[in-house]
């Protein structure tokens, strides 16, 4: 661990237990110093659930591994264009952050701690600003018209929209979405199809508990509505140079990016076996299994295994999808794609580690904080 990293961790431990208060203080400072910044944030702001402060703290603490996060930070900066963020805003955020840290650490805060946060923040901000600047030929966000909205069950909808300007992305990537029913609240959803000639994009959305954006997308949005889309992000994409066979593991709407990857392979793949495992609580939640089975019937290199955890009569596998994958192994020399809830992704990664699959062969997206 570098000195910088040690200083960051040590200083964070002074305030960690007061995170919620620190978050309130941070936003209050920011909006007091620059009241016009309030307009960039959601109308009803739940400070404790806001992602910004947590994201900055995590980013700063990964400063020891800049290469891994380089591409992520660039695309995050590019994505921040949708919030109308300008380079000078980074200074306002830095000062609000440092004031918060100083206030909650009290007497134990030192000059060295202060400098460590400034140095790490500068590295992150520089990459994000560079990412935004390099993207100036694209719009800050895309307006898209909802073409179809199909409820697959009580909680899941498949939404097809078409951006008014071309939006380039790769199968497996995710895109942030905002709708008029929850203005300025953006959440990311994986594109569920490989890029099409007509530019339309499908999303598979599950309405979660008290979820603001997902509920609106499933229960309120309708054809003809305009939604806004941010710049595509994510690196769970196909390595076209790899010749290894592939295993895809999806839980619930985690099937969306897997479907996009399969579609991409239908255009070029002739040589790689692709084994898809999809899991859900019950058959109702396997909302796209019929389509997946049709693809498997058409492409000889594709096989499908579906499993449920809470549906004893389901005519397929039973149990957690990670356990089912293990039962079908061993999986020597495969590329893996894993996508679903944080719990599902965690248990699958654990299973793969136990099966000695090298981490470098696994790409994954967890649909929440993992
Ligand atoms: C890389 C990535 C890709 C994603 N792709 C998809 C996708 O293709 N389809 C899709 O449906 N979702 C996807 N998500 C999840 C999505 O971004 C939102 O987090 C989710 O829709 C909840 O947003 P919300 O505003 O409705 O809930 P919020 O208002 O943010 O949260 C409301 C409450 O629900 C809880 N909660 C949030 N998410 C979940 C969850 N998944 N399960 C259970 N409880 C939860 C929160 O802790 C909170 O208490 C993806 C997430 C990531 C990080
Ligand atoms: C080190 C710098 C920064 C990092 C690492 C960072 C990271 C993040 C992340 C990961 C999110 C959640 C993404 C999403 O929900 O789409 C977010 C949200 C946001 N960021 Fe940043 N950000 C930084 C700087 C800034 C700056 C300078 C501004 C401008 C004021 C800004 C404004 C916002 C807004 C408005 C949101 C949405 C608020 C919310 O979800 O509650 N960010 N940021």
């Amino acid at each position: 661990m570098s000195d910088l990293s040690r200083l960051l961790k040590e200083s964070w431990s002074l305030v960690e237990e007061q995170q919620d208060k620190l978050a309130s203080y941070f936003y209050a400072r920011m909006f007091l110093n620059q009241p016009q910044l309030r307009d960039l944030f959601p109308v009803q702001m739940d400070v404790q659930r806001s992602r910004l402060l947590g994201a900055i703290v995590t980013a700063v603490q990964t400063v020891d591994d800049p290469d891994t996060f380089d591409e992520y930070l660039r695309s995050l900066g590019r994505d921040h264009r949708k919030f109308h963020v300008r380079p000078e805003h980074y200074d306002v955020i830095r000062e609000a952050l440092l004031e918060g840290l100083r206030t909650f650490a009290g007497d134990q805060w030192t000059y060295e701690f202060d400098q460590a946060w400034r140095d790490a923040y500068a590295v992150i901000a520089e990459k994000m600003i560079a990412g935004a600047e390099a993207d100036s030929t694209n719009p800050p966000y895309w307006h898209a018209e909802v073409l179809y909205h199909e409820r697959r069950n009580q909680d899941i909808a498949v939404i097809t929209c078409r951006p008014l300007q071309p939006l380039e992305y790769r199968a497996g990537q995710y895109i942030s979405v905002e709708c008029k029913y929850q203005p300025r609240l953006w959440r990311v959803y994986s594109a569920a199809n490989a890029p099409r000639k007509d530019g339309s994009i499908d999303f598979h959305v599950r309405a979660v508990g008290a979820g603001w954006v997902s509920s609106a997308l499933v229960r309120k949005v309708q054809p003809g509505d305009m939604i806004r889309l941010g710049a595509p992000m994510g690196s769970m994409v196909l390595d076209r140079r790899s010749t290894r066979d592939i295993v895809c593991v999806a839980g619930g709407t985690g099937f969306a990016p897997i479907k996009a990857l399969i579609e991409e392979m239908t255009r070029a793949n002739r040589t790689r076996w692709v084994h898809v495992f999809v899991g859900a609580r019950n058959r109702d939640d396997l909302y796209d299994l019929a389509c997946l089975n049709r693809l498997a019937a058409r492409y000889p290199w594709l096989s499908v295994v579906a499993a449920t955890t809470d549906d004893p009569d389901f005519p397929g596998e039973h149990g957690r999808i990670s356990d089912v994958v293990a039962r079908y192994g061993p999986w020597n020399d495969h590329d893996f794609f894993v996508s679903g809830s944080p719990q599902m992704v965690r248990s699958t990664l654990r299973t793969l580690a136990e099966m000695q699959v090298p981490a470098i062969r696994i790409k994954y997206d967890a649909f929440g904080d993992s």
Side-chain angles (χ1 to χ4, degrees):
M1 196 190 287
S2 72
D3 273 359
L4 179 57
S5 185
R6 184 183 51 74
L7 285 168
L8 294 168
K9 292 208 163 60
E10 208 177 307
S11 52
W12 179 246
S13 70
L14 300 174
V15 298
E16 200 168 8
E17 281 177 11
Q18 306 176 77
Q19 267 181 70
D20 286 354
K21 285 196 209 140
L22 173 64
S24 304
Y25 187 91
F26 164 78
Y27 285 104
R29 268 331 308 171
M30 177 174 38
F31 298 148
L32 207 66
N33 294 347
Q34 291 277 324
Q36 69 277 23
L37 284 191
R38 181 66 188 88
D39 291 344
L40 272 52
F41 286 80
V43 183
Q44 299 151 318
M45 229 185 112
D46 181 338
V47 165
Q48 268 66 50
R49 256 163 54 191
S50 167
R51 281 124 161 107
L52 170 59
L53 181 61
I56 294 177
V57 171
T58 311
V60 165
Q61 296 190 341
T62 55
V63 74
D64 260 356
D65 194 4
D67 292 342
T68 308
F69 292 96
D70 194 70
E71 188 42 43
Y72 168 72
L73 291 170
R74 282 172 179 278
S75 54
L76 189 62
R78 188 162 64 123
D79 178 74
H80 267 53
R81 294 184 64 214
K82 74 188 185 212
F83 297 130
H84 305 283
V85 171
R86 292 200 307 271
E88 60 270 25
H89 294 150
Y90 284 86
D91 298 342
V92 182
I93 296 254
R94 182 194 57 223
E95 290 315 309
L97 173 68
L98 282 163
E99 282 178 48
L101 291 167
R102 264 199 301 272
T103 304
F104 286 91
D107 292 347
Q108 300 188 64
W109 193 252
T110 65
Y111 171 78
E112 269 188 310
F113 289 158
D114 208 82
Q115 199 53 46
W117 281 83
R118 280 180 194 280
D119 290 349
Y121 184 91
V123 173
I124 310 285
E126 191 194 325
K127 288 189 199 307
M128 288 180 65
I129 292 170
E133 277 169 2
D135 191 49
S136 56
T137 51
N138 275 321
Y141 50 79
W142 284 255
H143 294 283
E145 183 185 356
V146 174
L147 303 177
Y148 307 104
H149 185 282
E150 191 189 336
R151 284 288 281 275
R152 292 286 173 93
N153 67 26
Q154 183 89 346
D155 300 323
I156 297 177
V158 173
I159 301 169
T160 304
C161 65
R162 184 161 48 220
L164 303 189
Q165 286 173 274
L167 193 171
E168 282 178 28
Y169 70 94
R170 281 199 62 189
Q173 287 197 295
Y174 49 87
I175 293 172
S176 50
V177 178
E178 184 228 39
C179 67
K180 63 180 179 186
Y181 305 102
Q182 291 294 352
R184 287 188 247 146
L185 266 188
W186 295 80
R187 297 286 184 266
V188 294
Y189 296 92
S190 306
N193 59 291
R196 294 180 183 132
K197 283 208 179 87
D198 73 356
S200 64
I201 304 175
D202 295 345
F203 294 108
H204 296 175
V205 183
R206 165 193 284 281
V208 298
W212 279 330
V213 178
S214 61
S215 304
L217 290 174
V218 172
R219 308 211 160 96
K220 293 191 179 152
V221 162
Q222 41 189 306
D225 278 355
M226 296 303 291
I227 58 176
R228 295 199 288 173
L229 307 178
M233 295 180 75
S235 50
M236 201 176 73
V237 295
L238 206 61
D239 175 358
R240 292 172 187 150
R241 290 159 312 174
S242 171
T243 51
R244 273 186 283 274
D245 293 336
I246 292 174
V247 178
C248 299
V249 191
T253 46
F255 179 56
I258 301 295
K259 187 174 188 188
L261 290 165
I262 296 171
E263 266 191 32
E264 177 171 334
M265 287 183 274
T266 63
R267 294 173 188 173
N269 181 41
R270 300 282 176 275
T271 52
R272 304 171 76 180
W273 295 104
V274 180
H275 310 270
V276 180
F277 292 85
V278 281
R281 269 169 306 180
N282 52 49
R283 68 190 80 185
D284 213 29
D285 281 350
L286 290 168
Y287 60 93
D288 216 24
L289 187 55
C291 174
L292 184 55
N293 283 335
R294 276 197 301 276
L295 287 170
R298 188 158 164 205
Y299 296 98
W301 43 262
L302 180 64
S303 72
V304 175
V305 174
T308 57
T309 48
D310 305 343
D311 190 345
D313 301 325
F314 175 66
E317 291 288 344
H318 295 265
R320 291 189 314 174
I321 198 68
S322 51
D323 297 336
V324 176
V325 171
R327 288 208 288 275
Y328 276 74
W331 301 108
N332 304 321
D333 219 22
H334 286 70
D335 286 339
F336 279 82
F337 293 95
V338 182
S339 155
S341 70
Q343 303 85 297
M344 175 268 167
V345 170
R346 257 198 307 273
S347 65
T348 306
L349 295 183
R350 210 176 302 124
T351 302
L352 298 183
E354 281 161 14
M355 296 175 86
Q356 323 237 306
V357 174
I360 194 153
R361 298 225 190 105
I362 309 170
K363 293 186 178 176
Y364 65 91
D365 269 338
F367 284 11
D369 304 325
S370 47

